[in-house]
């Protein structure tokens, strides 16, 4: 046996360790997807043992390569890799695959399993997250690297399957990645020709290589996904591009799903179901694997362990970092703050100064304009704040004087994502996951439907991502029902761990931004008006109350009813309160810019703002269904149909969103009580 043959046999055994761990875990759980892990085991073996720079003893090492399993249903491949290379994921956790409270859930979850970079499952989003991570690496490298000091220098690797590439988000994110020239993004396409319904030829006949070449990707086609030498050569080719011409790389790997299974390999039968004990036994015999379930040969275990190698790589980088830090101490302090996610005092003070002194912020302006005023003040003081818009910068007002467009300069703090709402939201998740950035991005509220699942993933992953949604109601006017959001506020509010802010004026907008920036464990959605809104005068103590999500804006002794409103409808509630006062009826006006935050407050505060024994009327230019649980037996005034095309003022009257309707509702409640 020559050396090449010996190496091939050894590498096959290393890959088989992945295959059998995946097959055994799925079999024990009687649930899961063994096909992708078995089919991609050879690719994973080459990447993780020969190329991936990481330290299992320190999963958070900043300059590690990022690895994303976008086809997250194949999670046992990732768990097997983490276990074998030495992460804190013992065999007992592998045995508990898909069981309650295990660290090996059905799809990878960031923050739960050490070494998992992002939560994947909804196909295509992991790929878009990887684009965000590669963008983060490129931007940080251009900002902090200096000649002779390459302290930001890592790759982002991502595995994708046919399902990821069928999803539209793959087009959005990969088109953008090619335009931006993200040369350190390397994607492995598991071209096995199978999805759940069977052979994909009937529903996925794209020329994938030509498609990605058209995106300006470096495409390496026709790689045998079970040939370690071919895989290794492809990775070297991807990494050897001249820096000035670097493009993201797609390595098209032809594989057999369930590779190694004697009768089921290559069919959809192995995609999402256990192999069965007889098939696994036959596979053990066919592949000369004389070990019991979950048993691994010691030589393979030793070869896979990457702790020593990872520690050496990190130590070498740390020595380089120390030299860079000594030479560029200000840069080092700024980078450390960014990676920690800390908000500089200067940015918070700039917000306080705005609240105290800005006449513009307290003027009769749209809340989208108030948001821009806030961004003008804080952006210069907050390196790491990374803005953008889905081709609506001039409408969302997300662009400010200190915005430097990456699109034009190759670096900066702002990106026009093009008309790619879903891609934008998922790329922002990747930026946040990588570290060093607080991303915000803008579009119209009605288009939040496009990006909603990525917002949900940000909430699930507890990532600080800020969505700026303007044109938040029928108040946008003549564009009509296609652009007028109705159900969108409610739809976003019911996402767990998401916070929806709908401010009524400049002061509430500034507080909304303040709270969104301070929050480190989830996203925020800022709902902002196109039309100008009347500002309100408040005591300074009310600023803290705004930060509670809901507070008493105007009170009255012995109030007989409570009017609850958000955003542009707060002004309607205030006018209704004045009309009722003239009729001798005292009412309280409550502004509730963030309903979720208000209901997270102590019961005592909630009862103080909304006394249980006083009837309630809510008013919001959106679905009334959400508010019925808030007003209890009161009246929820809203819109439960689609809008119309007309000037905003006419629409509010047409849909009964006016002081007269509010007064009528209060009269009805008081009549019931009497």
């Amino acid at each position: 046996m020559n050396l090449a043959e010996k190496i091939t046999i050894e590498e096959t055994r290393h890959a088989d360790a992945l295959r059998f761990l995946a097959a055994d875990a799925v079999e024990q759980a009687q649930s899961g997807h063994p096909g992708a892990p078995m089919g991609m085991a050879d690719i994973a073996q080459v990447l993780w043992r020969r190329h991936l720079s990481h330290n299992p003893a320190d999963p958070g090492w900043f300059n590690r390569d990022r690895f994303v399993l976008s086809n997250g249903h194949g999670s046992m491949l990732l768990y097997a890799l983490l276990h074998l290379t030495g992460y804190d994921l013992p065999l007992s956790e592998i045995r508990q695959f898909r069981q309650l409270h295990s660290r090996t859930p059905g799809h990878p979850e960031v923050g739960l399993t050490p070494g998992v970079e992002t939560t994947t499952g909804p196909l295509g989003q992991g790929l878009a997250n990887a684009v965000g991570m590669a963008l983060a690496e490129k931007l940080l490298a251009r900002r902090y690297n200096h000649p002779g000091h390459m302290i930001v220098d890592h790759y982002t690797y991502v595995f994708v399957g046919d399902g990821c590439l069928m999803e539209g988000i793959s087009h959005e994110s990969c088109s953008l990645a090619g335009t931006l020239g993200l040369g350190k993004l390397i994607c492995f396409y598991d071209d096995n020709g199978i999805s759940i319904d069977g052979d994909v030829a009937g529903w996925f006949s794209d020329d994938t290589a030509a498609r990605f070449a058209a995106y300006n990707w470096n495409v390496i086609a026709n790689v045998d996904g079970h040939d370690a030498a071919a895989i290794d050569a492809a990775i070297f080719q991807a990494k050897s591009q001249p820096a000035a011409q670097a493009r993201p790389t797609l390595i098209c790997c032809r594989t057999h799903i369930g590779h190694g299974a004697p009768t089921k390999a290559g069919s959809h039968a192995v995609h999402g179901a256990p192999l069965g004990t007889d098939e696994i036994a036959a596979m053990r015999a066919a592949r000369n694997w004389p070990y019991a379930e979950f048993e691994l040969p010691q030589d393979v275990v030793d070869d896979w362990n990457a702790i020593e190698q990872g520690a050496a790589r990190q130590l070498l980088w740390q020595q380089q970092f120390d030299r860079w830090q000594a030479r560029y101490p200000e840069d080092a302090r700024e980078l450390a703050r960014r990676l920690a996610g800390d908000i500089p005092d200067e940015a918070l003070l700039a917000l306080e100064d705005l609240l105290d002194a800005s006449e513009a912020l307290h003027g009769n302006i749209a809340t989208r304009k108030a948001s821009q005023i806030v961004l003008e003040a804080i952006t210069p003081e907050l390196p790491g704040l990374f803005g953008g818009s889905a081709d609506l910068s001039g409408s969302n007002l997300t662009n400010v004087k200190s915005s430097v467009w990456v699109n034009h300069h190759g670096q900066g703090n702002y990106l026009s994502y093009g008309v790619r709402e879903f891609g934008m939201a998922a790329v922002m998740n990747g930026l946040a996951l990588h570290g060093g950035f607080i991303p915000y991005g803008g579009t119209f509220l009605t288009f939040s439907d496009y990006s909603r699942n990525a917002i949900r993933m940000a909430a699930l992953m507890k990532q600080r991502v800020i969505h700026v949604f303007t044109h938040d109601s029928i108040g946008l006017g003549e564009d009509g029902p296609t652009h007028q959001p109705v159900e969108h506020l409610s739809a976003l509010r019911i996402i767990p761990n998401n916070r929806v802010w709908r401010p009524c004026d400049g002061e509430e907008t500034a507080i909304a931004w303040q709270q969104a920036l301070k929050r480190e464990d989830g996203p925020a959605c800022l709902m902002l008006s196109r039309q100008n809104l009347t500002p309100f005068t408040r005591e300074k103590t009310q600023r803290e109350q705004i930060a509670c999500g809901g507070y008493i804006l105007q009170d009255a002794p012995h109030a007989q009813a409570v009017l609850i409103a958000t955003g542009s409808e707060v002004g309607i509630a205030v006018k209704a309160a004045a009309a009722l006062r003239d009729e001798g009826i005292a009412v309280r006006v409550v502004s509730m810019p963030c309903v979720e935050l208000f209901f997270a407050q102590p019961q005592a505060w909630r009862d103080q703002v909304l006394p249980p024994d006083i009837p309630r009327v809510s008013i919001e230019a959106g679905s009334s269904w959400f508010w019925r649980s808030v007003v209890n037996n009161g009246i929820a005034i809203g819109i439960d149909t689609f809008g119309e095309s007309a000037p905003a003022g006419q629409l509010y009257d047409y849909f009964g969103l006016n002081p007269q309707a509010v007064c009528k509702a209060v009269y009805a409640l008081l009549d019931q009580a009497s």
Side-chain angles (χ1 to χ4, degrees), residues 251-311:
I251 302 176
C252 300
C253 300
R254 187 64 183 173
T255 65
H256 295 91
I257 190 169
H259 185 70
T263 66
K264 295 185 177 181
S267 76
H268 72 280
V270 75
H271 181 281
L275 295 178
T277 55
D278 291 344
E279 184 79 0
I280 294 177
M283 185 168 72
R284 280 189 160 85
R287 301 191 73 78
N288 191 26
W289 192 262
Y291 311 103
E293 63 179 19
F294 298 109
E295 182 183 352
L296 299 170
Q298 190 59 48
D299 64 317
V300 170
V301 171
D302 292 342
D303 286 347
W304 263 109
N305 192 289
I307 292 178
E308 184 176 343
Q309 182 185 54

Side-chain angles (χ1 to χ4, degrees), residues 50 180 208 563 656:
R50 295 193 188 182
L180 296 176
T208 299
L563 308 182

Side-chain angles (χ1 to χ4, degrees), residues 26-70:
V26 171
E27 188 67 31
Q28 178 152 307
Q30 284 297 291
S31 174
H33 298 75
M38 295 167 66
M40 298 195 80
D42 297 298
I43 306 169
Q45 185 273 141
V46 174
L47 175 63
W48 279 64
R49 295 192 63 246
R50 295 193 188 182
H51 293 273
L52 194 73
S53 180
H54 64 125
N55 183 4
D58 185 3
W61 170 36
F62 165 64
N63 202 46
R64 69 192 181 278
D65 289 339
R66 271 57 170 182
F67 175 79
V68 174
L69 185 70
S70 186

Side-chain angles (χ1 to χ4, degrees), residues 348-426:
L348 296 176
L349 287 172
L351 267 175
E352 291 295 331
D353 289 344
L354 270 182
L355 287 165
D356 288 338
S358 172
E359 291 184 9
L361 184 69
H362 295 284
N364 184 29
I365 57 174
T367 50
R368 64 170 175 163
K369 181 60 180 177
S371 172
Q372 187 181 47
I373 291 170
V374 171
L375 287 170
E376 291 282 9
I378 65 174
T379 299
E381 308 297 340
L382 186 48
L385 186 65
F386 188 86
S389 173
D391 201 48
L392 289 168
S393 296
S395 295
N396 301 145
L397 303 186
T398 44
N399 181 38
V400 297
K401 294 183 180 68
S402 54
S403 296
V404 178
W405 287 43
V406 175
N407 312 78
H408 305 319
H409 303 281
Q411 58 186 333
N413 61 358
Y414 192 90
L415 180 66
S416 176
Y417 290 87
V419 187
R420 300 181 176 101
E421 293 86 1
F422 192 8
M424 176 179 71

Side-chain angles (χ1 to χ4, degrees), residues 452 489-496 498 500 596 626:
R452 188 176 189 277
L489 287 162
S490 296
L492 291 169
R493 283 180 178 133
I494 62 177
I495 297 176
N498 189 31
V500 174
E596 312 82 63
F626 173 85

Side-chain angles (χ1 to χ4, degrees), residues 44-198:
Q45 185 273 141
V46 174
L47 175 63
W48 279 64
R49 295 192 63 246
R50 295 193 188 182
H51 293 273
L52 194 73
S53 180
H54 64 125
N55 183 4
D58 185 3
W61 170 36
F62 165 64
N63 202 46
R64 69 192 181 278
D65 289 339
R66 271 57 170 182
F67 175 79
V68 174
L69 185 70
S70 186
N71 45 344
H73 55 272
S75 57
M76 260 313 306
L77 175 63
L78 180 52
Y79 300 148
L81 287 163
L82 295 172
H83 167 70
L84 286 170
T85 52
Y87 285 81
D88 182 19
L89 194 68
L91 193 60
S92 59
E93 292 288 351
I94 303 296
R95 288 177 175 272
Q96 289 297 306
F97 177 56
R98 288 188 164 222
Q99 304 308 299
L100 185 64
H101 301 316
S102 77
R103 287 188 289 162
T104 49
H107 293 82
E109 296 182 27
V110 68
L112 175 66
T113 311
V116 171
E117 300 286 1
T118 180
T119 300
T120 54
L123 292 177
Q125 285 200 59
L127 174 56
N129 295 164
V131 171
M133 294 175 187
L135 175 60
E137 191 276 343
K138 181 175 183 177
L139 294 174
L140 290 173
R142 292 198 170 190
R143 167 63 184 86
Y144 294 105
N145 288 349
H146 298 281
H149 298 276
M150 300 288 289
I151 54 98
V152 183
D153 184 18
H154 51 268
Y155 285 87
T156 300
Y157 299 101
V158 55
F159 281 7
V160 303
D162 290 304
C164 294
L165 299 186
M166 283 187 250
E167 290 285 0
I169 192 174
S170 69
H171 166 68
E172 294 185 30
S173 57
C174 293
S175 170
L176 182 63
T179 300
L180 296 176
L182 302 181
K184 288 192 173 178
L185 174 63
I186 300 177
C187 177
F188 298 83
Y189 167 34
D190 180 27
D191 182 12
N192 61 39
I194 296 293
S195 63
I196 291 177
D197 281 352

